[in-house]
Amino acid sequence: MVENNLRLILDEIKQGNPYGEKVTLVGATKFVPVDVINRAISAGLKDVSENRAQEFKEKYPLVTQPVNYHFIGSLQKNKVKYLIGKCYLIHSVDSLALLDEISRQAVNKGACQDVLLEVNMGVEEQKHGFDLSELESALSYAQTVNGVKVLGLMAMLPESDNQEFLFDLAKKLRSVYDNLKEKYGFKYLSLGMSNDYALCVKAGSNMIRVGSKIFGKRY
Ligand SMILES: *Cc1c(COP(=O)(O)O)cnc(C)c1O
């Protein structure tokens, strides 16, 4: 079941996106038991992610297969310590205060933490992320901070049945990404979940976070 779901999605994205970039599948493993995560990794999943720091802390040592373990959820400053030195990529940096705390903890541990800045697309009642107008100054600030490297952007599309609306939003984010890519050395645009990853990849996402379509509905 999990193995089959995984195979279908990996097959779907194996051509990459229209920009000629490889698309990384990040399994969203919230509420997924560790034995199932280990099985998915054996079946070819190379990246997994949690959205709660506590769950990351508990499951990280038990996932024994080699994998890149990401963090994708909203992160409180007092939980940053659970991630540094373990987490491959933190997708959800949504404030300069959080960036500062990641920097402080990383420098303490002699580590460098790769992160993405979460973008608020300005639709619905989205609470997290930088507004588009704040991005450039956040990025230039990040360049002055030790122990953290911003490798790109992350966003969540709103829930909608209007595929054209969602595709346009995804395209808009890709053009924001392209405008900043060279200057800031971006590698990743993390956009797309079970319901919308196909259109996101078509619009230029190169990292998708998929949970229920691999592991089934569990919430
Ligand atoms: C759970 C989660 C996903 C995956 O959602 P699905 O709809 O289950 O694919 C992606 N991104 C974030 C931030 C999540 O918390």
Side-chain angles (χ1 to χ4, degrees), residues 26-30 49-52 71-74 91-92 118 154-156 190 192-197 208-219:
V26 180
T29 48
K30 54 173 168 270
S49 61
E50 298 298 333
N51 73 330
R52 293 188 311 127
F71 190 80
I72 61 176
S74 100
H91 294 223
S92 41
E118 183 168 352
M154 178 268 216
M156 300 219 243
S190 168
M193 325 203 309
S194 291
N195 286 332
D196 57 19
Y197 72 82
I208 56 176
R209 310 176 306 269
V210 179
S212 45
K213 199 143 182 207
I214 300 174
F215 300 104
K217 280 244 181 297
R218 59 223 182 271
Y219 31 80

Side-chain angles (χ1 to χ4, degrees), residues 2 21 25 28 40 42 65-66 70 74 79 85 98 109 121 133 139 159 164 168 172 190 210-211 214 219:
V2 164
E21 297 161 347
L25 172 63
S42 298
Q65 301 280 359
H70 302 233
S74 100
K79 304 275 173 67
L98 180 58
K109 289 195 174 147
M121 302 289 289
S133 61
L139 285 163
E159 283 193 29
E164 204 177 301
D168 287 348
K172 180 176 167 196
S190 168
V210 179
I214 300 174
Y219 31 80

Side-chain angles (χ1 to χ4, degrees), residues 30-31 49-59 69-75 79 82-83:
K30 54 173 168 270
F31 307 128
S49 61
E50 298 298 333
N51 73 330
R52 293 188 311 127
Q54 188 63 34
E55 201 171 336
F56 182 97
K57 182 184 175 216
E58 285 162 16
K59 285 154 83 175
Y69 220 133
H70 302 233
F71 190 80
I72 61 176
S74 100
L75 180 58
K79 304 275 173 67
Y82 299 149
L83 306 183

